[in-house]
């Protein structure tokens, strides 16, 4: 079993993911006519937070302290199984994407419980919204992957992305376009981006994800912010792998192209955030159902051939 | 034409029952309570009310005597609710039969601001969301209590009083050199409005005639203040819906308008410009040219930034039908300013009680009382303000910029009404026999409008609250004084 | 047809899930019993903060809830995983099978997310936050025997989560007994590799959790974290009503599924600017019970009522019934 290449890939992901958020913020700043935060701002924040002494609410229990640890572990484990530039990660087996989605669910469960642990109505509100949107985004996610599985005939993520070639795009363009669109909408929802949520807002009553972690501080908050950056990479990597069919055999060349694509996706997210307002909270359900419909259509288009 | 002063002996004095009946009759037939207060007199209190007939442009005074308690007029006339609560808090005169007798500013010695009995929707499934006093932004303190079921809000109740500084008491110790500064800072973003109201009160009482040039300069200050704040509001509204372009541009443009104010008087918020009798600083030809150029440039940029708002579907969709305030509620509760105009109510002091150089003013009222209407009315007012300032700068009358203010006429009452950018500002002063203030009352437009926000959130979504709050953008200090 | 292996996989997954379901459901019911015993009420809106009063029961309930949501690395995951795998494998079959698989996937994933909502609400409203009533505030811990029972089941959940490959044998034996040897082999062949990889992944997850927990301790560097109240915006008099309620937690979802749920909401009509009293209540009756079971039960009961003359209370006649039944059986067997 190969160790070196997956290890380098994994390290690259772990080190580079906070850069994505920096890129998105820079793109948004450009649209707003500002210079923007430094690209490496999240790294500085993580360092600062790691060595701060946290404050814990007297209402909280072990769950509050465990939540960030389990959330970050879940996404780190998921990244170990995620393909990089079409190459498999450490773990690759039939059905690994099911495991990955449920790992995200594990992170969600403990984040929600940690939020409810504080006994604050703000965080309960955020938790309620988070679980509500999961009911719509998970079917969309599964069906998008089902469409991809049908298009490539494989059952593991790396298998699917390895089997995607420029020819497959020509043959199954509508299905692949639809499922990419569905995955992009799910990315915006799962990572609390406009139009689902505004990551820069200070208004607790409108937040979903940020308000769930309102009472966290110190290393816990560092874990949460880092986990959020990794989660953004996770979804971005799925889209990048779907959009960039592998062609050359060179690991370095494909890796560089993949990283370039991730930067393009970050820029796309920044652009979407800058040109539209966020949706009313009730309308987010309909956006996610739209993603579900895209996935179903993608699957049906594939069935037709 | 400002409101002429009224000698105290000319104020109609009625016995309590007749007072109640007359007031009810007048307020039901086109009148609106401009101010209602209780003045200490001969061991008891004298209740004084100034009723404004907006469509006719005149003010009527009525008064009565009260001791211990008086029959509350709120059940019949809800617009008096907060005045009566304030009277109770300040003087101990109990309005018998008031349905909502709660503290206004928590001024008692043992009172903790915001800690009161809140309206509860009973039921184990209802939870309360308590927001404030400390908010997650550079916002003034205030407490909001929601009764919620999930995302649905049944009722919102607002408790203020965290910023009570005792301004009215200090103003009543005058008139002295500090008075103008108290007026300028009682609501920091409405310096021009309150300073003008204070100066006009004094000018009415001493009979000074403010020169025409000073009137125009005062109006330019007021309109620049309106422009700056409305621009800031539109930017903040788009920031709240995460629409970045307008939010960023309007943020900068507000600074540009504030800098224009600084061009006039050296202070971005307009401090130290107004004085009783006129203004402190003048504009020369070079400054006029500079101001015009800056105004044109800033307004053109604002036009482009704000046009984006109306053109972007996601923004319009977010603003539309959010935070609906019915016109009946606005009228019944006596709301003023852009909030009332956004419900279609044609209330604007610049039209109803023209002051300074405002003649034949066309007010902007439209919409059905949602966030979109309140935003759009602000834009319409911005356009009007820019037009007015441009016209005034082109035709500044000559002459001095200040007149002498003599001693105040003793034993008189004066009311000045100014249209601040939030709505109608009312200052009422009563002088004693020595020509000093005996009583001073300030009514900021926020004093009337906070209850409107509570009404707008009923049966709404809690995630709409920040947007609604921003669309009202009321002053916490102006309420708390 | 090449579909038998898929069917074997999915069916075996279902059987595995039934087995695991028994373990975590039992644990959850025991937890509910512990709460009822300790607080005297099982109404979620009256509870809260029980984690401080019965810490072990809370810990085990959260574990059971995680297992019930089929979250890795607990036992609920393996069975659902195999069902999903079967559905995904079925995507390569003919069109009608693909549609069935699509439906199965959509329903399964939505149900999984709903389960997450339900169990986080249950665990959160009951055990976390502040107690909402006196009953909850005065709840007492359950005894060692109660805790022992729950611990046993919880341990079983964790062990069968990590040791899922070992459960392939009993499940495939059961399949073989029902469907034949071919199914046994199909199932064990298809399920073995993924489940072994899963166990490896679970171990990796556990290792990562341990590393991160240690790193956190390192970051804290022996400093004592400060304690304070939950952020309440600086309000002078916070109360327990200011935390999210259980009903409110699920309100967006119940509102969306209202046509199916047919929940009765008694919404207060708050009229006037200065309202008096108002109250709100809601009731969710089981739609399936009201519209499916109840009519059938009523009809059956009506039918049975026709024979109520048989029950007249005289012992002698009951003995006569027994004798008559025995004689009838004897005659029939002759």
């Amino acid at each position: 079993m190969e160790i070196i290449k997956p290890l380098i890939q994994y390290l690259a992901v772990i080190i580079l993911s906070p850069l994505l958020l920096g890129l998105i913020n820079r793109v948004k700043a450009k649209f707003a006519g500002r210079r923007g935060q430094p690209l490496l701002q999240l790294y500085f924040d993580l360092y600062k937070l790691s060595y701060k002494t946290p404050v814990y609410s007297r209402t909280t229990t072990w769950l509050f302290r465990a939540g960030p640890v389990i959330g970050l572990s879940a996404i780190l484990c998921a990244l170990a199984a995620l393909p990089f530039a079409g190459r498999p990660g450490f773990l690759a087996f039939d059905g690994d994407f099911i495991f990955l989605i449920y790992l995200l669910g594990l992170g969600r469960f403990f984040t929600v419980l940690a939020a409810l642990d504080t006994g604050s109505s703000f965080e309960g509100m955020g938790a309620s919204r988070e679980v509500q949107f999961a009911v719509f985004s998970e079917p969309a996610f599964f069906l998008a992957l089902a469409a991809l599985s049908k298009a490539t005939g494989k059952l593991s993520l790396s298998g699917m992305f390895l089997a995607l070639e420029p020819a497959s795009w020509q043959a199954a363009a509508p299905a692949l376009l639809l499922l990419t669109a569905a995955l992009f909408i799910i990315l915006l929802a799962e990572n609390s981006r406009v139009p689902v949520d505004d990551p820069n807002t200070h208004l607790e009553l409108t937040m979903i994800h940020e308000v769930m972690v309102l009472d966290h501080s110190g290393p816990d908050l560092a874990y949460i912010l880092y986990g959020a950056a990794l989660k953004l990479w996770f979804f971005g990597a799925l889209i990048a792998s779907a959009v960039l069919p592998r062609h050359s055999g060179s690991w370095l060349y494909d890796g560089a192209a993949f990283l370039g694509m991730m930067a393009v996706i970050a820029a796309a997210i920044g652009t979407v955030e800058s040109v539209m307002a966020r949706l009313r909270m009730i309308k987010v359900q309909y956006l996610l159902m739209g993603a579900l419909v895209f996935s179903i259509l993608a699957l049906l288009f594939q069935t037709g051939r | 034409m400002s409101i002429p002063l009224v000698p105290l002996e000319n104020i109609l004095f009625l016995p309590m029952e007749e007072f109640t009946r007359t007031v009810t009759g007048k307020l039901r037939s086109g009148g609106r309570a401009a101010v209602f207060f209780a003045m200490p007199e001969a061991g008891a209190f004298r209740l004084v009310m100034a009723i404004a007939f907006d469509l006719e442009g005149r003010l009527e005074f009525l008064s009565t005597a009260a001791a211990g308690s008086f029959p509350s007029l709120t059940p019949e006339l809800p617009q008096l609710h907060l005045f009566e609560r304030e009277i109770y808090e300040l003087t101990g005169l109990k309005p018998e039969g008031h349905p909502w007798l709660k503290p206004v500013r928590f001024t008692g010695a043992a009172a903790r601001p915001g800690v009161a009995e809140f309206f509860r929707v009973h039921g184990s499934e209802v939870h309360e969301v308590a927001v404030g006093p400390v908010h997650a932004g550079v916002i003034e303190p205030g407490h909001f209590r929601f009764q919620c079921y999930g995302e649905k809000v049944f009722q919102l109740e607002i408790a203020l009083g965290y910023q009570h500084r005792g301004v009215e008491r200090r103003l009543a110790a005058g008139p002295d050199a500090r008075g103008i500064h108290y007026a300028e800072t009682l609501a920091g973003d409405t310096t021009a409005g309150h300073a003008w109201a204070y100066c006009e009160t004094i000018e009415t009482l001493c009979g000074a005639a403010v020169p025409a040039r000073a009137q125009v300069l005062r109006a330019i200050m007021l309109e620049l203040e309106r422009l700056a704040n409305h621009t800031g509001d539109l930017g903040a509204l788009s920031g709240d819906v995460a629409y970045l372009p307008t939010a960023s541009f309007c943020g900068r443009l507000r600074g540009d308008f504030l800098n224009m104010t600084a061009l006039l008087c050296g202070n971005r918020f307009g401090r130290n410009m107004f004085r009783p009798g006129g203004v402190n600083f003048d504009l020369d030809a070079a400054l006029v040219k500079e101001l015009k150029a800056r105004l044109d440039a800033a307004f053109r940029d604002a036009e482009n930034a704000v046009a984006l708002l109306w053109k972007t579907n996601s923004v319009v969709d977010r603003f539309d039908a959010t935070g609906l305030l019915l016109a009946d509620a606005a009228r019944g509760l006596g709301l003023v300013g852009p909030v009332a105009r956004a419900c279609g109510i044609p209330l604007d002091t610049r039209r109803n009680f023209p002051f300074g150089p405002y003649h034949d003013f066309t007010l902007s009222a439209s919409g059905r009382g949602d966030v979109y209407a309140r935003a759009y009315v602000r834009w319409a007012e911005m356009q009007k303000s820019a037009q007015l300032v441009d016209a005034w700068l082109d035709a500044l009358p000559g002459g001095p910029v200040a007149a002498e203010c003599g001693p105040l006429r003793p034993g008189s009452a004066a009311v000045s009404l100014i249209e601040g950018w939030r709505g109608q500002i009312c200052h009422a002063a009563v002088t004693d026999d020595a020509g000093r203030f005996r009583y001073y009352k300030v009514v900021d437009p926020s004093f009337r409008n906070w209850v409107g926000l509570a009404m707008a959130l009923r049966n709404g979504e809690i995630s709409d609250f920040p947007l609604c709050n921003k669309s009202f953008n009321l002053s916490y200090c102006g309420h708390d004084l | 047809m090449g579909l038998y292996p898929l069917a074997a996989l999915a069916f075996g997954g279902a059987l595995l899930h039934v087995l695991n379901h028994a373990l975590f459901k039992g644990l959850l019911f025991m937890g509910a019993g512990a709460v009822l015993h300790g607080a005297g009420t099982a109404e979620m809106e009256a509870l809260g903060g029980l984690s401080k009063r019965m810490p072990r029961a809370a810990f085990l309930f959260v574990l059971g809830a995680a297992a019930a949501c089929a979250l890795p690395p607990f036992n609920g995951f393996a069975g659902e995983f195999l069902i999903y795998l079967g559905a995904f494998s079925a995507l390569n079959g003919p069109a009608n099978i693909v549609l069935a698989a699509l439906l199965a996937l959509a329903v399964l994933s939505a149900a999984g997310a709903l389960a997450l909502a339900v169990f986080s609400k249950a665990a959160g409203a009951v055990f976390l936050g502040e107690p909402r009533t006196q009953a909850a505030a005065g709840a007492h811990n359950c005894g060692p025997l109660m805790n022992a029972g729950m611990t046993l089941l919880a341990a079983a959940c964790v062990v069968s989560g990590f040791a899922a490959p070992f459960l392939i044998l009993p499940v495939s034996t059961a399949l073989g007994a029902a469907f034949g040897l071919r199914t046994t082999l199909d199932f064990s062949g298809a399920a073995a590799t993924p489940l072994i990889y899963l166990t490896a992944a679970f171990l990796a997850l556990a290792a990562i959790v341990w590393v991160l927990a240690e790193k956190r301790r390192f970051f804290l560097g022996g400093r004592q974290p400060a304690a304070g109240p939950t952020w309440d915006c600086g309000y002078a008099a916070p109360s327990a009503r200011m935390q999210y309620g259980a009903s409110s937690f699920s309100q967006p979802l119940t509102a969306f599924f209202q046509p199916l749920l047919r929940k009765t909401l008694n919404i207060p009509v708050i009229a006037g600017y200065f309202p008096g009293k108002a109250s709100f209540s809601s009731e969710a009756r089981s739609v399936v019970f009201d519209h499916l079971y109840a009519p059938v039960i009523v009809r059956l009961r009506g039918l049975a009522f026709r024979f109520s003359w048989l029950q007249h209370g005289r012992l002698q006649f009951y003995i006569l019934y027994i004798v008559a039944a025995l004689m009838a059986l004897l005659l029939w067997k002759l």
Side-chain angles (χ1 to χ4, degrees):
Chain A
M1 196 175 89
E2 269 213 41
I3 288 286
I4 303 291
K5 288 216 182 113
L7 186 64
I8 298 183
Q9 285 166 192
Y10 194 65
L11 283 174
V13 172
I14 292 188
I15 295 175
L16 290 175
S17 359
L19 206 53
L20 270 186
L21 276 171
L23 264 170
I24 296 177
N25 285 329
R26 265 302 170 89
V27 170
K28 285 167 73 166
K30 272 282 165 338
F31 267 91
R34 294 181 284 120
R35 220 160 24 155
Q37 311 168 334
L39 268 177
L40 304 178
Q41 184 58 41
L42 187 55
Y43 295 99
F44 303 144
D45 287 342
L46 290 175
Y47 179 75
K48 174 188 77 171
L49 284 168
S50 305
Y51 291 102
K52 268 190 154 192
T53 314
V55 179
Y56 289 122
S57 159
R58 279 182 271 266
T59 316
T60 58
T61 62
W62 61 273
L63 259 175
F64 189 74
R65 291 139 178 86
V69 171
I70 299 181
L72 184 58
S73 318
I75 186 69
L76 278 173
C77 189
L79 285 172
L82 190 70
F84 183 101
R87 272 31 170 229
F90 285 116
L91 295 163
F93 53 95
D94 275 357
D96 54 8
F97 54 90
I98 306 169
F99 175 59
L100 293 187
I101 299 181
Y102 270 81
L103 270 178
L104 292 179
L106 176 71
R108 198 198 313 275
F109 184 69
F110 278 94
T111 310
V112 164
L113 283 182
L116 290 173
D117 202 13
T118 57
S120 152
S121 48
F122 292 146
E123 297 175 25
M125 205 181 299
S128 159
R129 291 166 184 164
E130 172 88 5
V131 297
Q132 175 206 355
F133 297 143
V135 172
F136 301 104
S137 69
E138 282 206 6
F141 203 176
F142 267 109
L143 288 175
L145 290 175
L148 192 57
S149 169
K150 180 115 178 84
T152 53
K154 302 284 182 197
L155 279 176
S156 75
L157 265 184
S158 33
M160 288 187 225
F161 291 132
L162 271 170
L164 263 188
E165 311 207 325
S168 355
W169 265 93
Q170 279 174 339
L176 284 171
L177 260 171
L178 280 171
L179 74 90
T180 311
L183 284 175
F184 191 69
I185 295 177
I186 295 170
L187 183 155
L188 293 175
E190 290 280 342
N191 292 289
S192 298
R193 305 259 117 204
V194 175
V196 174
D197 191 6
D198 182 4
N200 293 338
T201 187
H202 60 271
L203 309 162
E204 306 102 330
L205 294 177
T206 62
M207 297 175 186
I208 303 170
H209 216 85
E210 301 85 53
V211 76
M212 281 203 290
V213 300
L214 203 62
D215 269 68
H216 287 275
S217 52
D220 297 324
L221 188 56
Y223 278 6
I224 289 169
L225 290 179
Y226 186 50
L230 290 175
K231 201 165 161 193
L232 186 61
W233 181 283
F234 176 86
F235 284 94
L238 287 176
I239 299 178
S241 305
V243 169
L244 253 193
R246 128 205 154 131
H247 23 240
S248 83
S250 158
W251 177 68
L252 277 172
Y253 181 75
D254 279 345
F258 178 74
L259 289 176
M261 194 65 213
M262 291 296 287
V264 169
I265 293 178
I269 299 174
T271 311
V272 165
E273 293 216 306
S274 305
V275 301
M276 59 182 302
R278 58 178 297 194
L279 289 173
R280 228 181 274 255
M281 205 60 75
I282 343 174
K283 300 234 173 132
V284 176
Q285 300 170 339
Y286 303 130
L287 177 70
L288 290 170
M289 286 209 286
L292 179 62
V293 166
F294 282 171
S295 306
I296 295 179
L297 282 178
L299 189 54
L300 291 177
F301 283 172
Q302 273 305 111
T303 316
R305 33 195 67 260
Chain B
M1 177 209 118
S2 54
I3 300 153
L5 76 82
V6 177
L8 267 180
E9 54 270 19
N10 289 5
I11 296 184
L12 189 57
F13 186 92
L14 298 167
M16 179 61 75
E17 224 185 85
E18 217 187 307
F19 176 81
T20 312
R21 238 192 351 253
T22 317
V23 163
T24 312
K26 286 191 191 285
L27 287 180
R28 283 241 173 92
S29 53
R32 189 177 53 86
V35 68
F36 182 33
F37 56 91
M39 203 168 51
E41 187 169 83
F45 293 95
R46 179 148 147 166
L47 293 175
V48 180
M49 185 185 298
I51 302 181
F53 291 90
D54 298 305
L55 293 175
E56 301 160 42
R58 70 183 165 86
L59 210 60
E60 257 184 47
F61 285 86
L62 289 165
S63 68
T64 185
S69 73
F70 65 97
S72 165
L73 290 153
T74 304
E76 300 283 312
L77 305 160
Q79 58 173 292
L80 296 173
H81 73 112
L82 204 53
F83 287 116
E84 290 188 346
R85 281 166 60 184
E86 190 189 27
I87 289 175
Y88 180 52
E89 195 171 57
L90 286 174
T91 62
L93 275 177
K94 186 151 188 242
E96 296 288 350
H98 194 290
W100 203 258
L101 200 57
K102 299 192 188 184
V104 179
R105 300 184 181 110
F106 298 88
T107 47
R112 284 183 298 172
V115 180
E117 274 289 317
F118 285 95
F119 175 78
R120 273 175 75 125
V121 175
H122 297 272
S124 59
E125 288 162 320
V126 177
H127 72 274
E128 297 184 5
V129 179
V131 184
V134 181
H135 297 291
V138 184
I139 314 169
E140 303 173 73
H143 187 71
F144 300 92
R145 190 67 73 87
F146 297 85
Q147 305 289 320
C148 294
Y149 171 60
E151 300 273 334
K152 302 247 169 281
V153 176
F154 290 136
Q155 169 82 343
L156 161 63
E157 205 178 322
I158 305 175
L160 302 172
Y162 291 91
Q163 305 242 73
H164 177 66
R165 296 148 289 159
V167 173
E168 281 177 332
R169 236 180 327 135
R170 287 188 171 69
L171 282 171
D176 56 17
R178 278 190 287 195
I180 184 70
H181 298 294
Y182 285 130
E184 282 176 342
T185 53
L186 74 86
D189 52 13
T190 319
T191 302
H194 279 287
W196 195 338
Y198 176 76
C199 291
E200 183 155 313
T201 313
I202 295 194
E203 285 146 16
T204 310
L205 283 169
C206 71
V210 180
R213 191 176 175 89
Q215 298 278 37
V216 173
L217 285 173
R218 281 180 171 182
I220 292 178
M221 289 290 293
L222 193 67
E223 293 305 321
L224 280 177
E225 183 173 81
R226 181 166 289 119
L227 276 166
N229 282 294
H230 282 346
T231 312
D233 281 353
L234 287 172
L237 277 170
S238 35
D240 277 3
V241 296
Y243 186 64
L244 289 177
T246 309
S248 325
F249 294 141
C250 283
R252 175 192 48 99
L253 287 165
R254 173 176 171 265
D256 285 347
F257 287 116
L258 291 176
N259 286 338
M260 283 181 231
T261 309
L263 203 59
L264 269 162
C265 66
N267 180 288
R268 296 191 349 138
F269 291 95
R271 310 269 156 84
N272 208 23
M273 177 71 168
F274 287 75
R275 63 184 274 189
V279 292
N280 279 324
F281 297 100
D282 197 357
L283 282 176
D284 61 11
L287 271 178
V288 168
K289 200 156 147 235
E290 169 79 21
L291 198 55
K292 259 186 86 78
R294 283 204 201 180
L295 180 65
D296 283 336
F299 188 72
R300 228 175 318 125
D301 284 345
E303 213 166 13
N304 291 333
V306 175
L308 283 174
L309 272 184
W310 317 131
K311 280 196 278 205
T312 309
N313 289 333
S314 45
V315 173
V316 173
D317 177 74
R318 190 73 185 84
F319 284 179
D320 206 33
T322 308
L324 260 175
L325 180 63
L326 298 172
D328 285 335
R331 226 169 276 141
L333 289 166
L335 304 188
V336 294
V339 170
R341 293 195 278 279
C343 299
I345 302 173
L347 209 60
D348 191 322
T349 320
R350 294 173 284 177
R351 169 131 196 103
N352 307 126
F353 293 89
F355 54 96
Y358 293 102
H359 302 296
D360 280 328
F361 179 80
T362 351
L363 61 85
S364 334
S366 84
R368 50 189 187 133
D370 54 7
V371 171
Y372 186 85
R374 291 190 278 274
Y376 201 81
V377 161
R378 284 183 164 88
W379 170 235
E381 291 191 1
M382 276 175 72
Q383 292 173 297
K384 187 85 193 146
S385 296
Q387 249 174 34
L388 283 170
V389 176
D390 227 19
W392 285 326
L393 284 174
D394 278 337
L396 265 179
V401 290
E404 272 306 309
C405 264
L408 304 184
R409 193 176 181 287
S412 316
V415 168
S416 51
L417 295 173
I418 302 286
E419 184 73 11
W421 65 274
R422 287 196 175 94
Q424 182 177 81
I425 297 172
C426 174
H427 282 219
V430 179
T431 49
D432 60 14
D433 298 320
R436 314 274 304 155
F437 284 140
R438 176 177 156 192
Y439 193 84
Y440 202 96
K441 184 94 197 74
V442 174
V443 184
D444 188 272
S446 311
F447 187 76
R448 296 179 219 263
N449 284 2
W450 272 111
V451 68
L453 177 59
M455 292 299 127
L457 252 300
R458 265 201 198 155
N459 298 320
E461 296 270 314
I462 196 164
S463 53
D464 286 341
F465 170 69
L467 189 61
C468 287
N469 195 8
K470 209 33 87 49
S471 74
F472 275 76
N473 197 13
L474 299 170
S475 172
Y476 299 71
C477 301
H479 173 280
D480 292 342
L481 294 178
Chain C
M1 280 216 292
L3 290 175
Y4 280 123
L6 310 178
L9 188 61
F11 202 87
L15 268 185
L16 181 60
H17 196 69
V18 167
L19 173 63
N20 289 323
H21 182 273
L23 292 172
F24 62 67
K25 246 332 150 45
L27 171 60
L28 287 172
F29 271 113
M30 279 196 203
V35 167
L36 185 58
H37 172 86
T41 170
E43 208 189 300
M44 278 197 285
E45 297 285 4
L47 296 168
L50 289 182
S51 181
K52 298 248 160 71
R53 286 139 184 95
M54 37 175 87
R56 175 161 297 200
F59 176 76
L60 297 171
F61 190 88
V62 167
L63 209 143
C69 297
L71 297 176
F74 303 106
N75 60 344
F77 181 65
E80 282 214 16
F81 174 80
L82 291 176
I83 301 175
Y84 270 108
L85 197 57
F88 270 95
S89 315
L91 288 173
N92 294 318
N96 54 342
I97 303 288
V98 171
L99 285 175
L102 191 161
L103 198 63
L105 282 174
V107 170
L108 263 176
S109 44
L114 279 171
L116 203 143
V118 162
F119 285 105
S120 52
K121 163 181 159 171
V126 172
F127 292 103
L128 306 176
E130 292 288 334
R132 291 183 182 83
T133 58
Q134 279 299 100
H140 63 269
N141 203 352
C142 43
L145 272 181
M146 273 188 170
N147 276 332
M150 288 196 279
T151 315
L152 202 66
L153 278 181
C157 285
V158 174
V159 165
S160 44
F162 278 86
F166 292 100
L167 288 173
I168 295 183
L169 188 58
V171 172
S172 44
T173 317
L175 279 180
F179 300 112
L181 187 61
R182 170 96 189 278
T183 323
T184 309
L185 293 173
D186 284 338
F187 174 71
S188 4
T193 325
L195 285 184
I196 293 177
Y197 267 109
L198 274 180
T199 306
F202 291 171
L203 289 169
L205 178 65
I208 297 177
V209 170
W210 185 81
V211 166
L212 284 177
E214 286 302 307
K215 204 78 177 75
R216 176 176 166 274
R217 197 174 311 172
F218 166 75
F219 283 134
L220 284 176
R223 290 186 300 254
Q224 266 300 97
T230 302
W231 175 242
D232 54 6
C233 303
Y235 186 62
S239 76
R241 218 168 106 103
M242 291 185 209
Q243 61 181 333
Y244 228 62
S247 247
S248 295
F249 186 80
S250 51
Q251 182 266 338
L253 282 171
T254 54
F256 182 79
F257 289 108
Q258 177 65 4
L260 287 175
L261 282 178
R262 311 261 185 108
K263 218 170 148 163
T264 333
L265 297 167
N266 304 317
I267 303 181
V269 176
I270 303 182
Y273 308 122
F274 314 111
K277 274 177 81 86
S279 72
F280 169 79
S281 66
S282 77
E283 199 196 328
R285 293 191 53 84
S286 166
V287 172
V288 171
F289 186 87
D290 283 348
H291 296 280
L292 198 64
Y293 295 157
V296 173
I297 291 175
V298 164
R299 212 149 289 157
L300 269 179
R301 203 183 292 166
L303 204 66
F305 196 71
R306 300 266 182 81
F307 295 94
S308 66
W309 54 267
L310 280 172
Q311 288 183 308
H312 36 56
R314 273 177 276 189
L315 190 58
Q316 295 86 336
F317 274 86
Y318 291 164
I319 298 178
L320 190 60
Y321 292 159
I322 297 174
V323 169
L326 281 174
M327 288 200 50
L329 279 173
L330 204 60
L331 281 170
W332 177 52
K333 265 303 173 182
L334 274 180

